[in-house]
Amino acid sequence: MMSEIDISNFAYEKFGGDSKICVAVLDGPVDQSHPCFDGANLTQLPTLVSSVADRGSASQHGTHVASVIFGQHDSPVRGIAPNCRGLIVPVFSDGRDGLAPCSQIDLARAITQAVEQGANVINISGGQLAASAESDRLLANAVRLCRENNVLIVAAAGNDGCDCLHLPAALESVLAVGAMDAQGNPIGFSNWGEAYQNQGILALGENILGAIPGAKTATKTGTSFATPIVSGIVALLLSIQLQREEKPDPHAIRDAILQSALSCNQLKGLDSRRCLVGTLNISGAYTLITKGEIKQMTNEKSGGVMIQSSEADNAIAQLQPSEVIEFDLKQEISQSSPIGVQAAEINQLTTMLMKETPMMITASNQANSSVAPSECASCSGSKQIQLVYALGELGYDFGTQARQDSFTQAIPAGINLLDYLEQNPWEAQSLIWTLNLDATPIYAIVPSGPYANVTYERLRSFLGDENIERVSIPGYIAGSVKLLSGQTVPAIIPEVRGMYGWSVAALIENLTQAYPAGPSEEDYSNKIREYLERIYYEFRNLGVTPQERALNFSATNAFQIADVMSTGTAADIGLDTITVEKSPICRPDSNCYDVKLQFFNLEDSRRAGKVYRFTVDVSDAIPVSIGRVRSWSVAS
């Protein structure tokens, strides 16, 4: 048993979090050469944004936010969770008038990347004012991916000073953070949209001390800087769970933070909605976590509020459609003085944890298989090839105005681009081929290797066939490509043998010919169409995670789906849910996932439904089905 002195020393070393807990910061580039990060365990992930930190707005914002969490305790900026592992994921860059916007698709891409690399908490100190609570399906699915993998997104509520919606802070399961002053009152610019009344917390957001590039410090004000305080507290509470030999549960901590919130000090005549659920109560959340008194939050509402930055010298520019996440350059107060109010709260937190943490310390150095960061290849410094199996529509781009003009001048009058490529097939490599979702490019397709000409031929044939609605592109992500619009997208080096093109109507016709038995042809066709449409729209994704690649492959391996539909469904059976789970049985050196289809009885809910499961091995660029389709009955 540890002596009292040993426990005190151990608590001091452990204060600041456990290295097995990983916090991802999705923000501007971070100046990791700043003295406050000397000794911090930070890994920078490659993104579509330059990772080089300079003196610009994005680097200042990203460096400040990261330092609030990871600033070492012997440095000018004492971060809240300096011992935790950090992922730096740049998503914001400098624009013409401050910070350049980030699309919802790119934000979804970064969230997915952080989940894949073992994050327990994702801090997003930026966002977009939205006209409604609806986000792009890819962003919604990325947030759902976090929920399914027990990863918590902590996002700023925004700085518009209104009852308004921001994304992604108001999306269900996200913890939204508003800003309060040192007296516990909500700051005037902090948003109070409806969704925040159920999932928003106020934290100190005034004169927050942090690092800025060039080995300097500054204090800043806004919801952007209240957010990392909450992310850091979540990381500490996760570390406490780990030390207690419990499975870290970020969403349980979210519930504890919301349930333990205190009423804010309301100024006379202040709208109570501005207080959101209440103010951050660290000791109250700690008590709920350690005593196991957390109640499951069942009345969450999905809002439409989104985070934004607290940088404010300029008025908000005209907002773009909901596909764009951008910083609100309103309400940031930046001062050169290193003195901030943050120190008082951190000192109180230090005192509380130093007193109480030793009482729950066990063998905290033991491995815990439930902690994702311990399995994070990127966090340990090694690199992995990123596989992708994506579905979408094929398109093309010229890249530059000069390239577009050269094609315009080269193509004879009366000849379209496809005819020109047919006559001059070598010109296909001068185009940038893209994979699109709803006319928005998500990847550039870059054929490579000795058979690149075969791949270009396949792309030309897909584009020229008016019956092809969708294509599958398997391969590897390697670098990025800038399009004519200025958008930058990841580049896929495709595997030509897994590239397919099809239309839903033609696919159903072929399948009905192959599987004529079973329900009526019309009902059978409708069931196949429903399955494919749900994959394309409800579950549309970037094809990066193993689950996404297995799901996408199930849509291209439609004959297996047709087998399920023909042998397992009757006219009174409807498709209920589609899920993807890690397969308990797999071949050596493989990575297997089960795609599960659950059906229910349309006419009598008391009758048993049916579940069908088939396994997909996604260890290679081109997935493959293994084993046979399994089925069993389930109670409704």
Side-chain angles (χ1 to χ4, degrees):
M1 176 176 288
M2 285 184 173
S3 69
E4 207 168 20
I5 295 177
D6 289 336
I7 292 175
S8 297
N9 290 337
F10 187 77
Y12 179 79
E13 292 172 0
K14 278 298 178 183
F15 174 69
D18 193 296
S19 62
K20 294 185 180 68
I21 299 301
C22 189
V23 182
V25 175
L26 276 57
D27 211 287
V30 173
D31 179 11
Q32 295 188 49
S33 67
H34 194 286
C36 80
F37 298 122
D38 187 15
N41 188 358
L42 304 180
T43 300
Q44 186 161 276
L45 301 184
T47 66
L48 301 177
V49 173
S50 171
S51 60
V52 178
D54 52 26
R55 303 294 177 90
S57 300
S59 295
Q60 291 209 27
H61 196 275
T63 301
H64 194 288
V65 167
S67 71
V68 173
I69 301 173
F70 303 114
Q72 299 298 287
H73 281 184
D74 57 354
S75 76
V77 180
R78 291 170 57 89
I80 294 177
N83 295 338
C84 287
R85 192 189 309 272
L87 297 176
I88 305 303
V89 190
V91 294
F92 296 105
S93 58
D94 291 332
R96 198 174 291 176
D97 300 315
L99 292 163
C102 165
S103 71
Q104 290 191 24
I105 291 178
D106 287 342
L107 184 62
R109 200 189 309 276
I111 291 172
T112 302
Q113 192 176 9
V115 173
E116 280 289 280
Q117 296 304 317
N120 300 101
V121 184
I122 297 176
N123 185 97
I124 307 176
S125 289
Q128 178 200 8
L129 191 65
S132 72
E134 294 292 327
S135 72
D136 184 277
R137 174 60 67 177
L138 286 176
L139 179 57
N141 285 345
V143 173
R144 180 175 62 185
L145 176 71
C146 289
R147 179 60 180 167
E148 292 171 350
N149 287 272
N150 205 13
V151 177
L152 177 63
I153 296 176
V154 182
N159 306 304
D160 306 287
C162 62
D163 177 3
C164 48
L165 303 177
H166 265 245
L167 298 171
L171 295 179
E172 191 173 1
S173 81
V174 174
L175 178 58
V177 182
M180 68 179 182
D181 60 23
Q183 288 71 47
N185 294 305
I187 304 178
F189 57 74
S190 186
N191 293 346
W192 66 94
E194 180 182 356
Y196 301 155
Q197 308 307 309
N198 295 318
Q199 63 189 60
I201 194 78
L202 287 180
L204 189 64
E206 182 180 57
N207 295 335
I208 304 302
L209 177 67
I212 58 175
K216 298 178 181 179
T217 61
T219 57
K220 294 178 183 288
T221 293
T223 59
S224 283
F225 309 111
T227 301
I229 289 177
V230 176
S231 294
I233 297 301
V234 172
L236 291 186
L237 293 174
L238 286 171
S239 300
I240 289 172
Q241 287 184 317
L242 194 61
Q243 291 168 9
R244 291 166 57 87
E245 296 186 323
E246 298 172 354
K247 180 180 179 180
D249 189 346
H251 286 274
I253 289 174
R254 172 186 185 267
D255 291 346
I257 287 174
L258 293 173
Q259 291 172 29
S260 63
L262 300 174
S263 298
C264 69
N265 298 324
Q266 296 185 26
L267 298 172
K268 186 176 180 180
L270 180 69
D271 187 341
S272 62
R273 294 178 301 165
R274 288 179 176 267
C275 293
L276 313 187
V277 175
T279 64
L280 180 62
N281 177 9
I282 299 171
S283 59
Y286 166 79
T287 300
L288 290 180
I289 287 292
T290 55
K291 291 186 177 180
E293 297 177 355
I294 307 169
K295 298 178 182 179
Q296 185 177 5
M297 303 291 283
T298 58
N299 61 344
E300 279 184 351
K301 297 179 181 179
S302 174
V305 189
M306 174 160 188
I307 52 170
Q308 49 198 28
S309 153
S310 56
E311 317 200 349
D313 293 324
N314 306 323
I316 302 178
Q318 183 66 34
L319 292 172
Q320 300 300 316
S322 63
E323 292 82 18
V324 174
I325 306 285
E326 63 183 6
F327 282 108
D328 175 8
L329 301 180
K330 216 169 98 173
Q331 295 300 341
E332 173 181 296
I333 304 171
S334 179
Q335 301 171 353
S336 59
S337 169
I339 300 174
V341 185
Q342 179 187 2
E345 182 164 329
I346 293 179
N347 287 338
Q348 292 173 3
L349 174 65
T350 304
T351 302
M352 186 266 290
L353 288 180
M354 289 290 287
K355 287 181 178 178
E356 297 177 293
T357 301
M359 301 302 295
M360 53 190 167
I361 288 179
T362 55
S364 62
N365 287 332
Q366 291 181 350
N368 188 326
S369 60
S370 67
V371 181
S374 65
E375 301 173 356
C376 170
S378 175
C379 292
S380 62
S382 62
K383 292 184 179 181
Q384 290 183 326
I385 295 175
Q386 178 62 69
L387 298 176
V388 61
Y389 191 93
L391 306 180
E393 304 89 35
L394 190 64
Y396 61 87
D397 192 275
F398 294 102
T400 66
Q401 189 64 54
R403 181 64 55 85
Q404 184 179 36
D405 291 343
S406 70
F407 268 92
T408 301
Q409 295 171 15
I411 298 176
I415 301 294
N416 61 35
L417 177 63
L418 290 175
D419 291 337
Y420 177 75
L421 293 177
E422 182 70 27
Q423 299 170 11
N424 306 275
W426 57 86
E427 288 280 32
Q429 64 182 344
S430 298
L431 291 173
I432 298 174
W433 295 84
T434 62
L435 185 68
N436 304 335
L437 286 179
D438 296 336
T440 300
I442 59 172
Y443 291 109
I445 305 168
V446 184
S448 182
Y451 296 101
N453 61 319
V454 177
T455 308
Y456 280 118
E457 174 61 31
R458 182 72 59 88
L459 293 172
R460 287 196 304 106
S461 66
F462 286 165
L463 192 63
D465 189 341
E466 60 184 16
N467 293 318
I468 290 180
E469 298 173 349
R470 292 177 177 84
V471 295
S472 62
I473 306 294
Y476 310 84
I477 294 180
S480 60
V481 173
K482 190 172 183 178
L483 305 179
L484 182 60
S485 64
Q487 179 186 1
T488 300
V489 295
I492 296 179
I493 298 178
E495 288 275 358
V496 65
R497 63 189 178 91
M499 293 170 55
Y500 300 104
W502 66 92
S503 70
V504 173
L507 186 61
I508 291 175
E509 182 179 354
N510 291 336
L511 293 176
T512 52
Q513 293 175 1
Y515 296 92
S520 68
E521 181 174 321
E522 181 180 0
D523 183 69
Y524 174 56
S525 299
N526 288 339
K527 284 182 169 59
I528 297 175
R529 182 183 299 277
E530 178 189 2
Y531 179 81
L532 295 175
E533 295 293 344
R534 288 183 69 175
I535 299 297
Y536 299 149
Y537 297 107
E538 181 180 349
F539 294 98
R540 70 175 186 166
N541 57 71
L542 297 169
V544 173
T545 68
Q547 297 94 323
E548 291 172 347
R549 289 186 282 124
L551 190 64
N552 289 350
F553 179 72
S554 73
T556 57
N557 188 23
F559 281 94
Q560 190 167 39
I561 296 299
D563 188 23
V564 171
M565 299 298 180
S566 64
T567 61
T569 63
D572 59 349
I573 296 294
L575 179 60
D576 185 10
T577 60
I578 305 170
T579 57
V580 184
E581 301 173 353
K582 183 75 173 177
S583 179
I585 302 174
C586 194
R587 303 176 297 194
D589 301 321
S590 292
N591 192 16
C592 303
Y593 282 80
D594 290 336
V595 180
K596 291 173 56 179
L597 281 65
Q598 183 162 338
F599 296 86
F600 67 100
N601 193 282
L602 295 171
E603 298 180 354
D604 186 355
S605 60
R606 294 172 296 179
R607 291 174 56 186
K610 199 84 169 178
V611 172
Y612 290 83
R613 178 196 298 259
F614 55 91
T615 303
V616 180
D617 183 354
V618 295
S619 57
D620 193 24
I622 302 176
V624 60
S625 296
I626 59 175
R628 60 183 181 83
V629 176
R630 290 151 287 166
S631 64
W632 60 92
S633 297
V634 293
S636 300

